[in-house]
Amino acid sequence: MAPSFVSIDDTRKIVYDIVSLAIIEKSSQQASTVSDTDKDDQVCLDVLLLHGMAPVGRKCWGLKDHTSNNSLMKNGKLASDNVNTFIEAIRQHSNNKISHVRLIMPDRPGYCDSDAAPAVKEQGCDDGANKGYSYAQFATDMLKVVAHATAGDDDDDDDDGELDSARKRSLIVLGTSSGGPCALAIRNRILSETSSLPNHIFLGTIICSSDCPYSHPRCPQAVTAEDTKDLNGRSIQQYVQDESLKRFRRNSKHGFVTDYLLERTDWGFDLAAPSHVSCDDRANHRYNRVHMYVGGEDDYKSIRLGAQFLRGLIGDDARLQILDEEDHFYASRKPELLAKLLATMTSP
């Protein structure tokens, strides 16, 4: 599966993988189980998957689970058995309401094959992320990725079992760990500027074990204390520089610097839905919803402690669920669980 890339302002590129999966096959056996009315209600779903600080970037969605053989991809190739597991789980949890799923998996800026964010690239591993790149720019970048990845929809041939271009597609944005703030930034952009997503119905946002805004003036002291304990007396800038030089970060150090510094400064956008999103919009489209998930005791303590605080900042649109049996990496390592989280977002 060859990766694709989109140029950003002709100065840098973002590389992504795209996987298109037919959930409801066009066979007589499947057709007999789905009524014409149900077919009209079926969803063609695009999913933007945003990785965390994983040094392997977009390939985190293919890491092998240490406790099982579950993974959606292996070594950059589709793992057929686990793709079948993913497809069956989508069918089961969506009650055959999802006909196609297209997974868009970018290397976020500074990770692996994608170019570094401009400020970090120019300033080096200091506080460069504070001097230029922002979550707002990230939202712009990722919406360009979505537009580029879906640009050929009008050419799809439905008779060949491909995407139905006559039916407007839906989009879910899912971010795990440090991808969580990025997903929320995209949500803010879409809700603030409806024209930013012209070819999709936005179904909502999923964040899995997301970081919270650690520098927020109301961030609980217990959260900031847990977050800063690894500094061991160093400044944030010195810690970031030391960490970025570690060998396992050699292909992702710029991304790590960007993420770490942005998470610990003013995020620059309101986590609550904009005031112009009316009650009717909320009832009819549900696109303001944020489904939050956090692991159990094996998840990072700062993540667990900050979850309720983050939920409060988002407001009534957020729903938080604790996955007691999971660690920090469930979204990227367990295709059946990932399918369940996505299918749940498509329900009323």
Side-chain angles (χ1 to χ4, degrees), residues 17-36:
D17 290 326
I18 185 166
V19 176
S20 184
L21 302 172
I23 307 300
I24 305 297
E25 297 288 354
K26 293 197 170 183
S27 64
S28 58
Q29 181 178 2
Q30 276 289 351
S32 65
T33 66
V34 182
S35 69
D36 290 338

Side-chain angles (χ1 to χ4, degrees), residues 150-216:
T150 60
D153 282 359
D154 291 341
D155 299 326
D156 289 325
D157 185 352
D158 192 47
D159 292 336
D160 291 334
E162 297 296 330
L163 307 178
D164 183 358
S165 59
R167 183 180 298 141
K168 195 167 187 178
R169 298 188 61 85
S170 298
L171 177 71
I172 291 174
V173 179
L174 183 149
T176 182
S177 193
S178 291
C182 300
L184 292 172
I186 296 171
R187 170 184 182 262
N188 175 269
R189 174 64 58 80
I190 293 171
L191 296 185
S192 300
E193 303 174 16
T194 55
S195 61
S196 63
L197 195 70
N199 299 319
H200 288 83
I201 298 170
F202 183 46
L203 289 187
T205 310
I206 301 173
I207 54 175
C208 299
S209 294
S210 173
D211 289 276
C212 71
Y214 298 111
S215 68
H216 193 284

